[in-house]
Amino acid sequence: MANEEECRVALERVAARLAEVDADRLAEHVVERTISCRVADLGLAFRSRLHGAGLDPFERDEDPGAAQVRLTVDSDDLVAMAFDELNPAKAWTAGRLKIEASIFDLLRLRKLL
């Protein structure tokens, strides 16, 4: 099981990858949204804000259910996805990654991955 610091590093890696996306492409597909990532096996949650310039830094969150896009994943799977060892689509279809969002948000995010 990964620890809190490893999860933070994984989330920072995801944010850094998103920052590498072409600005025009990002602007085309991104609508400002709050995003939470609940790390179920550690009982932790992190929150960020997605916008045209990318993701804000992730911070600890006590109310992950209030975010517009909610991810739930175990720590090891989060780290594996961040380091390209686990495909997010495969994790989602296998039930290892849960995503709660509007259908429109899901379609927009899919285009960025």
Side-chain angles (χ1 to χ4, degrees):
M1 177 173 20
N3 62 34
E4 179 178 351
E5 184 57 30
E6 291 168 318
C7 290
R8 256 186 213 284
V9 168
L11 291 169
E12 289 170 7
R13 184 173 172 90
V14 170
R17 261 199 303 211
L18 190 59
E20 294 171 1
V21 173
D22 177 69
D24 291 334
R25 183 172 175 227
L26 192 62
E28 179 182 340
H29 298 293
V30 168
V31 175
E32 186 172 319
R33 294 286 183 258
T34 54
I35 297 178
S36 68
C37 180
R38 190 170 71 83
V39 185
D41 60 335
L42 296 180
L44 299 173
F46 299 91
R47 179 184 291 242
S48 181
R49 185 177 61 92
L50 177 66
H51 47 82
L55 279 170
D56 288 345
F58 280 90
E59 299 175 356
R60 286 283 300 268
D61 186 15
E62 299 303 320
D63 186 18
Q68 294 162 308
V69 177
R70 296 170 302 282
L71 311 172
T72 302
V73 64
D74 282 340
S75 59
D76 288 339
D77 290 336
L78 173 61
V79 171
M81 284 188 293
F83 288 91
D84 296 325
E85 297 166 2
L86 177 62
N87 180 295
K90 288 182 181 180
W92 177 73
T93 58
R96 296 167 67 179
L97 170 64
K98 293 179 181 73
I99 305 172
E100 297 174 77
S102 75
I103 188 69
F104 299 111
D105 288 339
L106 289 173
L107 292 172
R108 281 188 203 104
L109 291 172
R110 180 186 61 103
K111 291 178 182 181
L112 291 174
L113 298 175

